[in-house]
Amino acid sequence: MNFINQYCHIRDRVVTHQGKEFFTGQPGTLDDFMEEVFKFLSPAYPKFYKMDRLSKLGFLASEIIVKDLLFRSRYTPEQVAVVLSNASASLDTDLRYTESLKTIPSPGLFVYTLPNIVAGEICIRQGIRGENAFFVTEKFEAKQMADYVDLVLASEKTRACIAGWTEVLGDYHDIFLYLVENMKGANGLTHTAEQLQKIYLEL
């Protein structure tokens, strides 16, 4: 049996952790909001400023769910997986890159024109070298996510997984990341499709 031990939402410029308000942004753009959250967390990670929006929001949510867990000392790099999904793939960045073609193409944007780059950024930051996957679906599919993550965790070498939904397009953002482990934390929830759907819809 696997357990959801941490989870985080980022919606409407509000960050919640474990269902409780964690950070609320000031009036401004989505880019302003992301920078505010980054400064609030103070992770000393300057590469953040070079990322696209999808990677920034995924990075922030993952930082929150592992922040106080001594994550790297708990698991070897190969024992952690990352499984993500969204509806728009990398379209937000694709549109920005296409716009840059009118003047000078942006290499900095081009490297983010794949949706799974957000998983790569999370892996680099958290020192993860386990299995990773990215699915594009019309909406958050709780059953598909629960089934696939459980399948990944059935492997003897995998003990934890950062998973969830990372949708960004224009000003719209809907981020839901959670940490699943094969041991129950203090407030752990059973990793089922029904439980996932329930906490995804919180707020």
Side-chain angles (χ1 to χ4, degrees):
M1 186 174 292
N2 302 309
F3 300 93
I4 304 164
N5 288 331
Q6 296 282 328
Y7 63 95
C8 172
H9 294 86
I10 305 178
R11 292 182 183 136
D12 299 323
R13 300 180 197 176
V14 176
V15 182
T16 62
H17 179 222
Q18 305 296 83
K20 298 179 181 178
E21 188 173 311
F22 180 83
F23 183 90
T24 300
Q26 300 297 314
T29 66
L30 176 57
D31 296 298
D32 293 336
F33 166 72
M34 293 186 293
E35 190 168 327
E36 287 175 16
V37 179
F38 179 75
K39 290 178 178 177
F40 178 75
L41 294 173
S42 303
Y45 197 72
K47 187 183 178 185
F48 174 84
Y49 293 100
K50 297 181 180 180
M51 297 179 191
D52 71 337
R53 289 173 163 185
L54 180 61
S55 295
K56 284 180 177 178
L57 287 164
F59 172 94
L60 293 170
S62 65
E63 194 73 8
I64 291 164
I65 62 175
V66 303
K67 185 173 175 58
D68 300 317
L69 300 182
L70 301 175
F71 197 66
R72 293 191 186 216
S73 61
R74 184 183 297 187
Y75 301 112
T76 65
E78 294 76 19
Q79 288 177 325
V80 185
V82 177
V83 179
L84 304 176
S85 63
N86 75 10
S88 300
S90 58
L91 184 58
D92 184 73
T93 303
D94 297 344
L95 293 171
R96 291 169 183 273
Y97 179 71
T98 300
E99 186 65 24
S100 79
L101 294 176
K102 296 178 181 178
T103 53
I104 300 174
S106 170
L109 285 174
F110 179 73
V111 297
Y112 288 97
T113 54
L114 286 172
N116 63 332
I117 300 300
V118 58
E121 293 290 7
I122 291 170
C123 289
I124 292 168
R125 169 59 176 169
Q126 305 302 339
I128 296 168
R129 291 206 296 265
E131 181 173 342
N132 68 78
F134 196 104
F135 299 100
V136 178
T137 57
E138 290 186 5
K139 61 180 181 178
F140 178 64
E141 297 286 353
K143 187 176 188 312
Q144 176 182 311
M145 183 63 68
D147 288 349
Y148 191 85
V149 170
D150 282 344
L151 182 64
V152 170
L153 286 167
S155 165
E156 290 184 4
K157 67 179 181 179
T158 307
R159 294 177 54 199
C161 181
I162 293 173
W165 180 254
T166 55
E167 174 67 7
V168 183
L169 186 59
D171 199 45
Y172 177 77
H173 52 288
D174 180 15
I175 309 297
F176 166 56
L177 288 193
Y178 65 99
L179 175 66
V180 188
E181 299 174 278
N182 55 17
M183 58 181 181
K184 186 175 182 179
N187 299 300
L189 303 167
T190 305
H191 185 240
T192 64
E194 294 75 18
Q195 188 65 67
L196 266 186
Q197 186 68 14
K198 180 180 177 181
I199 61 176
Y200 168 70
L201 294 173
E202 278 186 0
L203 299 180

